[in-house]
Amino acid sequence: MKYRKTPGHVGISNERIINGSSVLVVHLSLLFSASLRHGFVPNDYCFGVILPLLKNKHGDASKLDMYRGITLSCCLSELFESVLSRVFEQCLTTDDLQYGFKRHNSCSHALITFKKSVKYFVQNGSKVLCVSLDASKAFDKVSHHGLFVKLINKGVPVVFIRLLI
């Protein structure tokens, strides 16, 4: 957990968790264990405050496309998510060619890979054809049932999938 993050809608800051006593650690451990065991999370984990963030401070602030939304979540849900990702990390591996939503990867890495690939084929006398796809809204349209089936087929523990549902 990082210091000086804006608290979510619950109002609990990361500093309260970081500087909490050992009793807090025990209670959080019991809460997280119970959530895993019963496949249930507190309702506050499912809510967040969405704030508009200006993409470019020199751009036209009156245009909607100059903003991206950020969500302030409850720090306890973020901590629980961090615990889950460590506990289930062996089940949640992705392809090496996936760059988004992975630690130490970004769009820049994907662009560098693309640029090097094009350069390689052009230098070796090949024509390079390119097609791009804007999948920015794909998450909004994904079949959650299909996603859960894929996770089950991949061997992700049912207890984890129940939490997602």
Side-chain angles (χ1 to χ4, degrees), residues 50 55 64-69 101 132-144:
I50 300 173
K55 291 179 184 177
L64 286 179
D65 62 349
M66 288 299 297
Y67 292 88
R68 67 180 177 89
F101 304 103
S132 66
L133 171 68
D134 179 4
S136 60
K137 302 290 183 197
F139 184 76
D140 298 335
K141 304 214 184 304
V142 70
S143 163
H144 292 102

Side-chain angles (χ1 to χ4, degrees), residues 36 84-85 88 92 151 156-165:
L36 275 171
L84 289 176
S85 66
F88 295 106
L92 302 174
L151 289 172
V156 174
V158 175
V159 67
F160 181 76
I161 296 169
R162 275 195 346 223
L163 283 171
L164 294 176
I165 292 169

Side-chain angles (χ1 to χ4, degrees), residues 2-163:
K2 297 178 182 176
Y3 282 97
R4 287 178 268 146
K5 290 288 193 172
T6 305
H9 69 287
V10 177
I12 300 171
S13 67
N14 287 358
E15 286 81 3
R16 289 186 183 212
I17 305 298
I18 294 167
N19 298 318
S21 70
S22 58
V23 174
L24 177 63
V25 173
V26 170
H27 285 282
L28 288 176
S29 177
L30 290 171
L31 173 66
F32 294 166
S33 295
S35 291
L36 275 171
R37 185 175 303 113
H38 299 289
F40 177 82
V41 293
N43 287 336
D44 283 334
Y45 285 16
C46 303
F47 295 101
V49 177
I50 300 173
L51 298 176
L53 188 65
L54 190 60
K55 291 179 184 177
N56 180 353
K57 64 182 177 184
H58 302 295
D60 185 356
S62 66
K63 298 197 182 225
L64 286 179
D65 62 349
M66 288 299 297
Y67 292 88
R68 67 180 177 89
I70 60 165
T71 303
L72 302 178
S73 301
C74 169
C75 66
L76 294 178
S77 68
E78 290 181 4
L79 179 60
F80 184 55
E81 182 182 326
S82 175
V83 168
L84 289 176
S85 66
R86 287 197 179 138
V87 169
F88 295 106
E89 80 180 320
Q90 73 280 356
C91 301
L92 302 174
T93 57
T94 58
D95 191 280
D96 289 339
L97 295 176
Q98 176 183 329
Y99 294 97
F101 304 103
K102 285 177 78 169
R103 186 176 298 168
H104 307 299
N105 283 294
S106 67
C107 289
S108 300
H109 293 95
L111 290 171
I112 290 167
T113 302
F114 173 73
K115 185 177 176 181
K116 285 184 176 184
S117 299
V118 169
K119 185 177 179 180
Y120 171 83
F121 285 105
V122 168
Q123 286 177 342
N124 288 295
S126 296
K127 283 187 177 181
V128 177
L129 303 175
C130 174
V131 176
S132 66
L133 171 68
D134 179 4
S136 60
K137 302 290 183 197
F139 184 76
D140 298 335
K141 304 214 184 304
V142 70
S143 163
H144 292 102
H145 174 74
L147 178 63
F148 298 140
V149 168
K150 286 183 181 283
L151 289 172
I152 289 169
N153 292 340
K154 191 175 177 182
V156 174
V158 175
V159 67
F160 181 76
I161 296 169
R162 275 195 346 223
L163 283 171

